Amino acid sequence: SKVTLYRQKKDGKELPTWWIYYRKDGKTFRKSTDTTSPEEAKKARSQMERLLAFNRRDELTEDFYRATRNLDRQEVGIKDFFTIARATVTHKSTVEAYKKTDQEFLAFLSSNFPKLTLLHEIHPTHAEAWHRSLLERLRPRTVNKHIKIIRMAFKKAMKNGAILRNPTENIEMLKTEESARRPFTIDELTVICSEAKGFHRYSAGLGLYTGARLGDICLLKWRDIDWKRRSISFKMQKRRGKPMEVPLHPALKLLLKELADTTRANPNDYLFPSQAITYQKSGAAPLSARWHDFLGKLKLLDHDQAFYRRRQRARKAGKIVTPLPRAAGELSFHSFRHTAISMLKNLGAPQAVAMQIAGHESASISKIYTHLDEDAERRWIDAMPDLTKPMVPAKKGTEVLPAG
């Protein structure tokens, strides 16, 4: 590959430092030589040409790379690096996700390759072995998530000059099936609203009439409810804490008033204190599992197929517990979100209204609508039927059909 020397310009004048330009694996790279000397810059160009020649023959090693660039080896410990690499991550849920993946990766290396202690010693074969171990026990979507998280850390290491190659770069993402989740039917909603009590009752109402995810519901505080303006405000746990404000449906207002009458409802208190603690400690999984189990008890799911029920039986039997994937198309708490969005669309609400309430983003829609009228949102929310009261079951199989 041809390596070109050049100097950057500013205000029409050349800056003193020399840079090198080259292409590798179809990508363009520009790097500073950190010198103003033409002779030293030419040496750097020559070293890079040798480096690329070895790389094409796949004979490049970390030692050779550092030797040709007169670099001292950076003795970066694996554990120390991952601690430093995540220091800039601030969002709580992201921190937890990265921490969990990092711990699993480090535990795998420690168990299977105990002699590895420095970052540059990690080879693609080590990363590929970890990938294979993930495939044995996790679903493709989860495997991809773990690989992406570790890959980002190694990219940062390359950028900082701690390693030459990303050991995960040749691991391909797995193909995943599209989600087959569906909205609840009217009959299913009738059963749920008739049988649900406590947290199930109130979270069902919030999910149905706000489209909020389970984690967002668990972290709601009484101060987030504006009774006068009839709205609920919260920050999404996903999408980097996107702020949301959803009009308060009359039926949901009555439900929340009912809940408020059973507690002190101090502004800084959570609506669901115990569920908030669970979510902050373990994420949405255990709460989603309880909802999954509840749907199974209502015969809306095959109870024998309930995800966490099968795990519980496996534990009691003393068997090795591995993740048990849910069957495609089964219902979950997230179906309330599908139901809310589908219901709005079926009522004729503009796509932008449904997207705004759900917190979805689209470049094409945002070009047309710079903002949405709050009154318009409220009209469509109010138009949603009150499904919290016992009602005459609809014709068998009637479903809140997804629009579009």
Side-chain angles (χ1 to χ4, degrees), residues 146-158:
H146 285 312
I147 294 298
K148 287 177 182 178
I149 290 174
I150 294 300
R151 181 172 286 168
M152 283 190 293
F154 282 118
K155 281 184 178 180
K156 181 173 287 189
M158 287 181 63

Side-chain angles (χ1 to χ4, degrees), residues 182-237:
R182 64 171 177 82
F184 290 112
T185 65
I186 296 297
D187 285 350
E188 289 165 345
L189 288 172
T190 301
V191 172
I192 292 170
C193 294
S194 298
E195 299 295 328
K197 293 179 176 59
F199 175 69
H200 288 130
R201 172 177 169 79
Y202 302 117
S203 60
L206 284 160
L208 180 61
Y209 289 115
T210 69
R213 296 179 176 85
L214 187 54
D216 296 328
I217 289 172
C218 290
L219 296 182
L220 282 175
K221 293 185 176 182
W222 288 108
R223 69 187 182 197
D224 299 327
I225 303 173
D226 191 326
W227 301 105
K228 292 182 179 180
R229 294 185 65 244
R230 239 178 13 98
S231 65
I232 299 179
S233 302
F234 59 91
K235 287 188 176 181
M236 298 176 70
Q237 293 303 296

Side-chain angles (χ1 to χ4, degrees), residues 40-108:
E40 292 299 321
K42 289 177 182 178
K43 288 181 181 179
R45 180 179 62 184
S46 177
Q47 290 169 354
M48 181 56 68
E49 287 173 342
R50 293 175 60 199
L51 184 67
L52 293 173
F54 270 80
N55 186 58
R56 285 197 300 273
R57 298 197 298 269
D58 201 25
E59 298 173 2
L60 187 60
T61 66
E62 184 83 13
D63 288 332
F64 178 79
Y65 169 73
R66 297 192 178 281
T68 57
R69 301 193 70 183
N70 299 318
L71 294 175
D72 293 329
R73 178 179 298 285
Q74 296 187 36
E75 303 291 338
V76 181
I78 298 174
K79 292 183 179 179
D80 292 338
F81 167 74
F82 277 93
T83 300
I84 297 171
R86 309 305 190 187
T88 56
V89 181
T90 57
H91 196 277
K92 187 172 182 179
S93 60
T94 305
V95 170
E96 290 299 320
Y98 286 12
K99 182 179 178 181
K100 182 178 179 181
T101 298
D102 291 349
Q103 288 176 341
E104 289 191 15
F105 180 61
L106 295 176
F108 174 83

Side-chain angles (χ1 to χ4, degrees), residues 68-350:
T68 57
R69 301 193 70 183
N70 299 318
L71 294 175
D72 293 329
R73 178 179 298 285
Q74 296 187 36
E75 303 291 338
V76 181
I78 298 174
K79 292 183 179 179
D80 292 338
F81 167 74
F82 277 93
T83 300
I84 297 171
R86 309 305 190 187
T88 56
V89 181
T90 57
H91 196 277
K92 187 172 182 179
S93 60
T94 305
V95 170
E96 290 299 320
Y98 286 12
K99 182 179 178 181
K100 182 178 179 181
T101 298
D102 291 349
Q103 288 176 341
E104 289 191 15
F105 180 61
L106 295 176
F108 174 83
L109 293 180
S110 177
S111 175
N112 294 273
F113 307 101
K115 293 184 179 180
L116 293 180
T117 58
L118 300 176
L119 191 66
H120 69 265
E121 295 173 342
I122 300 177
H123 191 269
T125 55
H126 303 134
E128 289 162 7
W130 179 58
H131 185 230
R132 288 194 297 271
S133 75
L134 295 178
L135 291 173
E136 294 174 357
R137 57 190 180 83
L138 298 175
R139 289 171 288 180
R141 190 181 302 275
T142 308
V143 172
N144 288 346
K145 177 182 176 182
H146 285 312
I147 294 298
K148 287 177 182 178
I149 290 174
I150 294 300
R151 181 172 286 168
M152 283 190 293
F154 282 118
K155 281 184 178 180
K156 181 173 287 189
M158 287 181 63
K159 185 177 180 181
N160 295 339
I163 58 174
L164 171 60
R165 284 180 172 176
N166 188 329
T168 66
E169 65 182 357
N170 293 326
I171 298 177
E172 296 183 0
M173 293 293 104
L174 303 171
K175 292 183 178 181
T176 58
E177 295 182 359
E178 293 295 324
S179 172
R181 287 175 178 149
R182 64 171 177 82
F184 290 112
T185 65
I186 296 297
D187 285 350
E188 289 165 345
L189 288 172
T190 301
V191 172
I192 292 170
C193 294
S194 298
E195 299 295 328
K197 293 179 176 59
F199 175 69
H200 288 130
R201 172 177 169 79
Y202 302 117
S203 60
L206 284 160
L208 180 61
Y209 289 115
T210 69
R213 296 179 176 85
L214 187 54
D216 296 328
I217 289 172
C218 290
L219 296 182
L220 282 175
K221 293 185 176 182
W222 288 108
R223 69 187 182 197
D224 299 327
I225 303 173
D226 191 326
W227 301 105
K228 292 182 179 180
R229 294 185 65 244
R230 239 178 13 98
S231 65
I232 299 179
S233 302
F234 59 91
K235 287 188 176 181
M236 298 176 70
Q237 293 303 296
K238 290 192 173 184
R239 299 189 182 277
R240 299 178 183 268
K242 179 180 179 179
M244 297 290 297
E245 183 175 1
V246 182
L248 192 59
H249 189 280
L252 179 57
K253 182 178 180 180
L254 291 176
L255 270 179
L256 295 178
K257 285 285 189 182
E258 175 186 297
L259 175 60
D261 290 341
T262 65
T263 181
R264 297 184 203 174
N266 291 324
N268 291 324
D269 289 347
Y270 291 108
L271 273 66
F272 312 107
S274 62
Q275 285 78 16
I277 292 173
T278 299
Y279 179 79
Q280 290 169 330
K281 181 180 179 181
S282 307
L287 298 163
S288 179
R290 292 171 197 170
W291 251 104
H292 202 74
D293 196 45
F294 176 65
L295 295 175
K297 290 177 181 177
L298 296 181
K299 307 298 182 183
L300 300 181
L301 296 175
D302 182 349
H303 206 201
D304 289 337
Q305 298 301 311
F307 178 58
Y308 277 85
R309 178 67 70 182
R310 286 187 288 163
R311 284 188 59 150
Q312 185 178 17
R313 286 204 299 268
R315 288 192 180 102
K316 287 183 177 180
K319 298 179 181 179
I320 297 176
V321 180
T322 56
L324 303 172
R326 299 177 181 178
E330 70 181 356
L331 298 169
S332 68
F333 181 85
H334 204 74
S335 296
F336 284 114
R337 183 170 171 83
H338 287 258
T339 306
I341 297 169
S342 297
M343 193 181 296
L344 285 167
K345 290 183 178 180
N346 287 329
L347 286 168

